[in-house]
Coordinates of all heavy atoms in Angstrom, one line a residue:
M29 N 5.8 10.9 -2.1 CA 7.3 10.7 -2.0 C 7.8 9.8 -3.2 O 9.0 9.5 -3.2 CB 7.5 9.9 -0.7 CG 7.3 10.7 0.5 SD 8.0 9.8 1.9 CE 7.5 11.0 3.2
K30 N 6.9 9.5 -4.1 CA 7.4 8.7 -5.2 C 8.5 9.4 -5.9 O 8.5 10.6 -6.2 CB 6.2 8.5 -6.1 CG 6.5 7.5 -7.2 CD 5.3 7.2 -8.1 CE 5.8 6.2 -9.2 NZ 4.7 5.9 -10.1
D31 N 9.5 8.6 -6.3 CA 10.7 9.1 -7.1 C 11.6 10.1 -6.3 O 12.4 10.7 -6.9 CB 10.2 9.8 -8.4 CG 9.5 8.8 -9.3 OD1 9.8 7.6 -9.3 OD2 8.6 9.3 -10.0
K32 N 11.4 10.2 -5.0 CA 12.3 11.0 -4.2 C 13.1 10.0 -3.3 O 12.6 9.0 -2.8 CB 11.5 11.9 -3.3 CG 10.8 13.0 -4.1 CD 10.1 14.0 -3.3 CE 9.5 15.1 -4.2 NZ 8.9 16.2 -3.4
T33 N 14.3 10.4 -3.1 CA 15.2 9.6 -2.2 C 14.9 10.0 -0.7 O 14.8 11.1 -0.4 CB 16.7 9.9 -2.5 OG1 16.9 9.5 -3.9 CG2 17.6 9.0 -1.6
L34 N 14.7 8.9 0.1 CA 14.4 9.1 1.5 C 15.6 9.0 2.3 O 16.5 8.2 2.0 CB 13.4 8.1 2.0 CG 12.0 8.0 1.3 CD1 11.2 6.8 1.8 CD2 11.3 9.3 1.5
S35 N 15.7 9.8 3.4 CA 16.8 9.6 4.3 C 16.5 8.3 5.1 O 15.4 7.9 5.1 CB 17.0 10.8 5.2 OG 15.9 10.8 6.1
V36 N 17.5 7.8 5.8 CA 17.3 6.6 6.5 C 16.3 6.8 7.6 O 15.4 6.0 7.9 CB 18.6 6.0 7.1 CG1 18.4 4.8 8.0 CG2 19.5 5.6 5.9
D37 N 16.4 8.0 8.3 CA 15.4 8.2 9.4 C 14.0 8.3 8.9 O 13.1 7.7 9.5 CB 15.8 9.6 10.1 CG 17.1 9.4 10.9 OD1 17.4 8.3 11.3 OD2 17.7 10.5 11.1
V38 N 13.8 9.0 7.8 CA 12.4 9.1 7.2 C 12.0 7.7 6.7 O 10.9 7.3 6.9 CB 12.4 10.1 6.1 CG1 11.1 10.1 5.4 CG2 12.6 11.5 6.7
G39 N 13.0 7.0 6.1 CA 12.7 5.6 5.6 C 12.2 4.7 6.7 O 11.3 3.9 6.5
N40 N 12.8 4.8 7.9 CA 12.4 4.0 9.0 C 10.9 4.3 9.4 O 10.2 3.4 9.7 CB 13.3 4.2 10.2 CG 14.7 3.7 10.0 OD1 14.9 3.0 9.0 ND2 15.6 4.1 10.9
E41 N 10.6 5.6 9.5 CA 9.3 6.0 9.8 C 8.3 5.6 8.8 O 7.2 5.0 9.1 CB 9.2 7.5 10.0 CG 7.8 8.1 10.4 CD 7.8 9.6 10.6 OE1 8.9 10.2 10.7 OE2 6.7 10.1 10.6
V42 N 8.6 5.7 7.5 CA 7.7 5.2 6.4 C 7.5 3.7 6.5 O 6.4 3.2 6.4 CB 8.3 5.6 5.0 CG1 7.6 5.0 3.9 CG2 8.3 7.2 4.9
L43 N 8.6 3.0 6.8 CA 8.5 1.6 6.9 C 7.6 1.2 8.0 O 6.7 0.3 7.9 CB 9.9 1.0 7.1 CG 10.0 -0.5 7.5 CD1 9.4 -1.4 6.3 CD2 11.4 -1.0 7.8
A44 N 7.8 1.8 9.2 CA 6.9 1.4 10.3 C 5.4 1.7 10.1 O 4.6 0.9 10.4 CB 7.4 2.2 11.6
K45 N 5.1 2.9 9.4 CA 3.7 3.2 9.1 C 3.2 2.3 8.1 O 2.0 1.8 8.2 CB 3.6 4.7 8.7 CG 3.8 5.6 9.9 CD 3.7 7.0 9.5 CE 3.9 7.9 10.8 NZ 3.5 9.3 10.6
A46 N 3.9 2.0 7.0 CA 3.5 1.1 6.0 C 3.3 -0.3 6.5 O 2.3 -1.0 6.2 CB 4.5 1.1 4.8
L47 N 4.2 -0.7 7.4 CA 4.0 -2.1 7.9 C 2.8 -2.2 8.8 O 2.1 -3.1 8.7 CB 5.3 -2.4 8.7 CG 5.3 -3.8 9.4 CD1 5.1 -4.9 8.4 CD2 6.7 -4.0 10.1
Q48 N 2.6 -1.1 9.6 CA 1.4 -1.2 10.5 C 0.1 -1.2 9.6 O -0.8 -1.9 9.9 CB 1.3 0.0 11.4 CG 0.2 0.0 12.4 CD 0.3 -1.2 13.4 OE1 1.2 -1.3 14.1 NE2 -0.7 -2.1 13.4
Y49 N 0.1 -0.4 8.5 CA -1.0 -0.4 7.6 C -1.3 -1.8 7.0 O -2.4 -2.3 7.0 CB -0.8 0.6 6.5 CG -2.0 0.7 5.5 CD1 -3.1 1.4 5.8 CD2 -1.9 -0.1 4.4 CE1 -4.2 1.5 4.9 CE2 -3.0 -0.1 3.5 CZ -4.1 0.7 3.8 OH -5.2 0.7 2.9
A50 N -0.2 -2.4 6.6 CA -0.3 -3.8 6.0 C -0.8 -4.8 7.0 O -1.7 -5.6 6.7 CB 1.1 -4.2 5.5
V51 N -0.3 -4.7 8.2 CA -0.8 -5.7 9.3 C -2.3 -5.4 9.6 O -3.0 -6.3 9.8 CB 0.1 -5.5 10.5 CG1 -0.5 -6.2 11.7 CG2 1.5 -6.1 10.3
D52 N -2.7 -4.1 9.6 CA -4.0 -3.8 10.0 C -5.0 -4.2 8.9 O -6.2 -4.4 9.1 CB -4.2 -2.3 10.3 CG -3.5 -1.9 11.5 OD1 -3.2 -2.7 12.4 OD2 -3.3 -0.6 11.7
N53 N -4.6 -4.2 7.6 CA -5.5 -4.3 6.5 C -5.3 -5.5 5.6 O -6.3 -5.9 4.9 CB -5.4 -3.0 5.6 CG -5.9 -1.8 6.3 OD1 -7.1 -1.7 6.6 ND2 -5.0 -1.0 6.8
A54 N -4.2 -6.2 5.7 CA -4.0 -7.4 4.8 C -4.7 -8.6 5.4 O -4.7 -8.8 6.7 CB -2.5 -7.7 4.7
P55 N -5.3 -9.4 4.6 CA -5.9 -10.6 5.2 C -4.9 -11.5 5.7 O -3.7 -11.5 5.4 CB -6.6 -11.3 3.9 CG -6.1 -10.6 2.7 CD -5.5 -9.3 3.2
A56 N -5.3 -12.4 6.7 CA -4.4 -13.2 7.4 C -3.6 -14.1 6.4 O -2.4 -14.4 6.6 CB -5.1 -14.1 8.4
W57 N -4.2 -14.6 5.4 CA -3.5 -15.5 4.5 C -2.4 -14.8 3.8 O -1.3 -15.4 3.5 CB -4.5 -16.1 3.4 CG -5.1 -15.2 2.4 CD1 -6.2 -14.5 2.5 CD2 -4.4 -14.7 1.2 NE1 -6.4 -13.7 1.4 CE2 -5.3 -13.8 0.6 CE3 -3.2 -15.0 0.6 CZ2 -5.0 -13.2 -0.6 CZ3 -2.9 -14.4 -0.6 CH2 -3.8 -13.5 -1.2
L58 N -2.6 -13.5 3.4 CA -1.6 -12.7 2.8 C -0.4 -12.5 3.7 O 0.8 -12.6 3.3 CB -2.1 -11.4 2.2 CG -1.1 -10.5 1.5 CD1 -0.5 -11.3 0.3 CD2 -1.8 -9.2 1.1
Q59 N -0.7 -12.1 5.0 CA 0.3 -11.9 5.9 C 1.2 -13.2 6.1 O 2.4 -13.1 6.2 CB -0.2 -11.5 7.3 CG -0.8 -10.1 7.2 CD -1.3 -9.6 8.5 OE1 -0.6 -9.7 9.5 NE2 -2.5 -9.0 8.5
S60 N 0.5 -14.3 6.2 CA 1.2 -15.6 6.4 C 2.0 -15.9 5.2 O 3.2 -16.3 5.3 CB 0.1 -16.7 6.6 OG 0.8 -17.9 6.7
W61 N 1.5 -15.7 4.0 CA 2.2 -16.0 2.7 C 3.5 -15.1 2.7 O 4.5 -15.6 2.2 CB 1.3 -15.7 1.5 CG 2.0 -15.8 0.2 CD1 2.3 -16.9 -0.5 CD2 2.6 -14.7 -0.5 NE1 3.0 -16.6 -1.6 CE2 3.2 -15.2 -1.7 CE3 2.7 -13.3 -0.3 CZ2 3.8 -14.4 -2.6 CZ3 3.3 -12.5 -1.2 CH2 3.9 -13.1 -2.4
A62 N 3.4 -13.8 3.1 CA 4.5 -12.9 3.0 C 5.6 -13.2 4.1 O 6.7 -12.7 4.0 CB 4.0 -11.5 3.2
G63 N 5.2 -14.0 5.1 CA 6.2 -14.3 6.1 C 6.0 -13.5 7.4 O 6.9 -13.2 8.1
G64 N 4.7 -13.1 7.6 CA 4.4 -12.3 8.8 C 4.9 -10.9 8.7 O 5.3 -10.5 7.7
P65 N 4.9 -10.2 9.9 CA 5.4 -8.8 9.9 C 6.8 -8.7 9.4 O 7.1 -7.7 8.7 CB 5.3 -8.4 11.3 CG 4.2 -9.2 11.9 CD 4.3 -10.6 11.2
E66 N 7.7 -9.6 9.7 CA 9.1 -9.6 9.2 C 9.1 -9.6 7.7 O 9.9 -8.9 7.1 CB 9.9 -10.7 9.9 CG 10.1 -10.6 11.4 CD 8.9 -11.3 12.1 OE1 8.0 -11.9 11.5 OE2 8.9 -11.2 13.3
G67 N 8.4 -10.6 7.1 CA 8.4 -10.7 5.7 C 7.8 -9.5 5.0 O 8.3 -9.0 4.0
L68 N 6.7 -9.0 5.6 CA 6.1 -7.8 5.0 C 7.1 -6.6 5.1 O 7.2 -5.8 4.1 CB 4.8 -7.4 5.8 CG 3.6 -8.3 5.5 CD1 2.5 -8.0 6.6 CD2 3.1 -8.1 4.1
A69 N 7.8 -6.5 6.2 CA 8.8 -5.4 6.4 C 9.8 -5.5 5.3 O 10.2 -4.5 4.7 CB 9.4 -5.4 7.8
K70 N 10.3 -6.7 5.0 CA 11.4 -6.8 4.0 C 10.9 -6.4 2.6 O 11.6 -5.8 1.9 CB 11.9 -8.3 4.0 CG 12.7 -8.6 5.2 CD 13.1 -10.1 5.2 CE 13.9 -10.4 6.4 NZ 14.3 -11.9 6.4
K71 N 9.6 -6.8 2.3 CA 9.1 -6.5 1.0 C 8.9 -5.0 0.9 O 9.1 -4.4 -0.2 CB 7.8 -7.2 0.8 CG 8.0 -8.7 0.6 CD 6.7 -9.5 0.5 CE 6.8 -11.0 0.4 NZ 8.1 -11.6 0.3
I72 N 8.4 -4.3 2.0 CA 8.2 -2.9 1.9 C 9.6 -2.2 1.8 O 9.8 -1.2 1.0 CB 7.5 -2.4 3.2 CG1 6.0 -2.9 3.2 CG2 7.5 -0.8 3.3 CD1 5.3 -2.8 4.5
W73 N 10.6 -2.6 2.6 CA 11.9 -2.0 2.6 C 12.5 -2.1 1.2 O 13.1 -1.1 0.7 CB 12.8 -2.7 3.6 CG 14.1 -2.1 3.8 CD1 15.3 -2.5 3.2 CD2 14.5 -1.0 4.6 NE1 16.3 -1.7 3.6 CE2 15.9 -0.8 4.5 CE3 13.7 -0.1 5.4 CZ2 16.5 0.3 5.1 CZ3 14.4 0.9 6.1 CH2 15.8 1.1 5.9
A74 N 12.3 -3.2 0.5 CA 12.9 -3.4 -0.8 C 12.3 -2.4 -1.8 O 12.9 -2.1 -2.8 CB 12.6 -4.8 -1.3
R75 N 11.1 -1.8 -1.5 CA 10.4 -0.9 -2.5 C 10.7 0.5 -2.2 O 10.4 1.4 -3.0 CB 8.9 -1.1 -2.5 CG 8.5 -2.5 -3.0 CD 8.9 -2.8 -4.4 NE 8.2 -1.8 -5.2 CZ 8.6 -1.5 -6.5 NH1 9.7 -2.0 -7.0 NH2 7.9 -0.6 -7.2
L76 N 11.3 0.9 -1.0 CA 11.6 2.2 -0.7 C 12.8 2.7 -1.4 O 13.8 2.0 -1.6 CB 11.9 2.4 0.9 CG 10.7 2.1 1.8 CD1 11.1 2.2 3.2 CD2 9.5 3.0 1.5
N77 N 12.8 4.0 -1.8 CA 13.9 4.6 -2.5 C 14.8 5.3 -1.5 O 14.6 6.5 -1.2 CB 13.4 5.6 -3.6 CG 14.5 6.1 -4.4 OD1 15.6 5.6 -4.5 ND2 14.2 7.2 -5.1
L78 N 15.7 4.5 -0.9 CA 16.5 5.1 0.2 C 17.9 5.6 -0.3 O 18.4 5.0 -1.2 CB 16.7 4.0 1.3 CG 15.4 3.6 2.0 CD1 15.6 2.4 2.8 CD2 14.9 4.7 2.8
G79 N 18.4 6.5 0.4 CA 19.7 7.1 0.1 C 20.8 6.2 0.4 O 20.6 5.1 1.1
E80 N 22.0 6.6 0.1 CA 23.2 5.8 0.4 C 23.3 5.6 1.9 O 23.0 6.5 2.6 CB 24.4 6.5 -0.2 CG 24.6 6.4 -1.7 CD 25.9 7.0 -2.1 OE1 26.9 6.7 -1.5 OE2 25.9 7.7 -3.2
G81 N 23.9 4.5 2.2 CA 24.1 4.2 3.6 C 22.9 3.6 4.3 O 22.9 3.2 5.5
A82 N 21.8 3.4 3.6 CA 20.6 2.8 4.2 C 20.9 1.3 4.5 O 21.5 0.6 3.6 CB 19.4 2.9 3.3
S83 N 20.5 0.9 5.6 CA 20.7 -0.5 6.0 C 19.4 -1.1 6.5 O 18.6 -0.4 7.1 CB 21.7 -0.5 7.1 OG 21.7 -1.8 7.8
D84 N 19.3 -2.4 6.2 CA 18.1 -3.1 6.7 C 18.1 -3.4 8.2 O 17.2 -4.1 8.7 CB 17.8 -4.3 5.8 CG 18.8 -5.4 6.0 OD1 19.8 -5.2 6.7 OD2 18.6 -6.5 5.4
A85 N 19.1 -2.8 8.9 CA 19.1 -2.9 10.3 C 17.9 -2.3 11.0 O 17.6 -2.6 12.1 CB 20.4 -2.3 10.8
A86 N 17.2 -1.5 10.2 CA 16.0 -0.9 10.8 C 14.8 -1.8 10.8 O 13.8 -1.6 11.5 CB 15.6 0.3 9.9
L87 N 14.9 -2.9 10.1 CA 13.7 -3.8 10.1 C 13.3 -4.3 11.4 O 12.1 -4.3 11.7 CB 14.0 -5.0 9.1 CG 14.2 -4.7 7.7 CD1 14.6 -5.9 6.9 CD2 12.9 -4.0 7.1
P88 N 14.2 -4.8 12.3 CA 13.7 -5.3 13.6 C 13.0 -4.2 14.4 O 12.0 -4.5 15.1 CB 14.9 -5.8 14.3 CG 15.9 -6.1 13.2 CD 15.6 -5.1 12.1
A89 N 13.5 -3.0 14.4 CA 12.9 -1.9 15.1 C 11.5 -1.6 14.6 O 10.5 -1.4 15.4 CB 13.7 -0.7 15.1
A90 N 11.3 -1.6 13.3 CA 10.0 -1.4 12.7 C 9.0 -2.5 13.0 O 7.9 -2.3 13.4 CB 10.1 -1.2 11.2
V91 N 9.5 -3.7 13.0 CA 8.6 -4.9 13.3 C 8.2 -4.8 14.7 O 7.0 -5.1 15.1 CB 9.3 -6.2 13.0 CG1 8.6 -7.4 13.5 CG2 9.6 -6.4 11.4
S92 N 9.1 -4.4 15.6 CA 8.7 -4.4 17.1 C 7.7 -3.3 17.4 O 7.1 -3.3 18.4 CB 10.0 -4.1 17.9 OG 10.5 -2.8 17.8
T93 N 7.5 -2.3 16.5 CA 6.5 -1.3 16.7 C 5.1 -1.6 16.3 O 4.2 -1.0 16.6 CB 6.9 0.1 16.0 OG1 6.8 -0.1 14.6 CG2 8.3 0.6 16.4
V94 N 5.0 -2.7 15.5 CA 3.7 -3.1 15.0 C 2.9 -3.8 16.1 O 3.3 -4.6 16.8 CB 3.9 -4.1 13.8 CG1 2.6 -4.7 13.3 CG2 4.6 -3.4 12.7
S95 N 1.6 -3.4 16.1 CA 0.7 -4.0 17.0 C -0.3 -4.8 16.2 O -0.9 -4.3 15.3 CB 0.0 -3.0 17.9 OG -0.7 -2.1 17.1
A96 N -0.4 -6.1 16.6 CA -1.4 -7.0 15.9 C -2.8 -6.7 16.4 O -3.0 -6.3 17.6 CB -1.0 -8.4 16.2
N97 N -3.7 -6.9 15.5 CA -5.1 -6.7 15.9 C -5.7 -8.0 16.5 O -5.4 -9.0 16.2 CB -6.0 -6.2 14.7 CG -5.6 -4.8 14.3 OD1 -5.1 -4.0 15.1 ND2 -5.9 -4.4 13.1

């Protein structure tokens, strides 16, 4: 998906999957440094190439889908 613009719906799905991956695989110190799942979500969201009208209002929904190990 690199260099392609994502729709907001697809962006939300990508965010949720990337966030779950980060929570599952990042060491605890890194998660803590990033600000927990919320901080990780913000960092991932900032790197997505989203189309116009994209809002970070999707962040709480993505964070709520993450299951901690």
Side-chain angles (χ1 to χ4, degrees):
M29 290 190 182
K30 187 177 180 181
D31 298 327
K32 293 186 179 186
T33 301
L34 302 174
S35 71
V36 175
D37 291 336
V38 172
N40 293 348
E41 183 179 343
V42 169
L43 172 62
K45 287 183 180 188
L47 181 56
Q48 186 64 61
Y49 179 84
V51 167
D52 290 346
N53 293 288
W57 68 265
L58 180 60
Q59 291 184 48
S60 177
W61 173 83
E66 295 86 3
L68 287 168
K70 287 179 182 177
K71 290 174 182 1
I72 294 167
W73 186 260
R75 298 296 298 158
L76 295 177
N77 185 17
L78 296 169
E80 286 186 41
S83 165
D84 64 359
L87 293 175
V91 171
S92 72
T93 67
V94 173
S95 60
N97 290 338

